[in-house]
């Protein structure tokens, strides 16, 4: 059975962009997402909103792409935010405690409506932050 393809739709608004991804984000399709996000930065885009409503699946490969792109966007003086992540990505964000880096609203609360630019909201992590060194040494409590 052929795998669903991933599509990327871009809607520019000056130095802002709304991207709608549709399909599955995994090891096979992640390079397309990575390339598209890098292109937005090279085009001078500094506010990136990603609508994931039509995404049916996103694994940790997709999360890695989004985290890397968010870091690069922040370094360039911009912001990258995910909206309406699929359940698989919500679970990964919850397990890793990284939702506060990519989402405007905590998981379990509705994401802001997609419009010109979502208004900033308080970012409250759902889990207690544990330093990576503690996790790696097995001393996380």
């Amino acid at each position: 059975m052929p795998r669903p393809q991933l599509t990327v739709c871009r809607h520019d608004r000056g130095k802002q962009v709304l991207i709608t991804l549709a399909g599955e984000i995994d090891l096979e399709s992640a390079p397309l997402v990575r390339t598209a996000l890098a292109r937005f930065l090279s085009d001078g885009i500094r506010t990136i909103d990603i609508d994931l409503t039509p995404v049916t699946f996103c694994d940790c490969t997709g999360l890695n792409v989004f985290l890397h792109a968010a870091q690069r966007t922040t370094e360039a003086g911009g912001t990258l935010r995910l909206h309406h992540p699929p359940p698989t990505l919500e679970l990964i964000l919850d397990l890793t405690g990284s939702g506060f880096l990519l989402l405007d609203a905590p998981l379990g609360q509705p994401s802001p409506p997609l419009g010109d630019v979502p208004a900033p909201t308080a970012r409250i992590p759902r889990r207690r932050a544990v330093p990576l060194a503690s996790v790696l040494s097995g001393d996380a409590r």
Side-chain angles (χ1 to χ4, degrees):
M1 182 164 135
R3 296 182 58 122
Q5 292 195 355
L6 181 71
T7 58
V8 179
C9 295
R10 176 178 176 168
H11 309 280
D12 288 274
R13 296 185 198 109
K15 297 234 182 246
Q16 304 170 358
V17 68
L18 169 64
I19 304 154
T20 302
L21 300 177
E24 295 185 358
I25 304 171
D26 55 18
L27 188 59
E28 193 174 299
S29 61
L32 173 64
V33 178
R34 182 179 295 113
T35 300
L37 294 174
R39 184 175 304 126
F40 302 140
L41 284 177
S42 69
D43 289 348
I45 302 294
R46 293 300 176 258
T47 302
I48 302 172
D49 287 295
I50 304 172
D51 180 11
L52 299 172
T53 303
V55 171
T56 56
F57 176 80
C58 182
D59 65 9
C60 58
T61 308
L63 174 61
N64 185 39
V65 169
F66 293 133
L67 288 170
H68 178 72
Q71 180 180 4
R72 292 195 56 217
T73 304
T74 300
E75 290 168 355
T79 59
L80 180 144
R81 292 288 168 240
L82 303 181
H83 303 275
H84 312 289
T88 53
L89 183 56
E90 280 188 350
L91 178 61
I92 295 169
L93 289 167
D94 186 35
L95 291 172
T96 61
S98 59
F100 75 98
L101 296 168
L102 298 169
L103 302 172
D104 272 333
L107 291 176
Q109 294 183 11
S111 296
L114 294 174
D116 290 335
V117 176
T121 60
R123 292 182 189 99
I124 304 167
R126 290 189 65 183
R127 294 180 174 259
R128 178 178 61 91
V130 176
L132 184 57
S134 298
V135 173
L136 294 176
S137 69
D139 193 31
R141 293 187 181 119

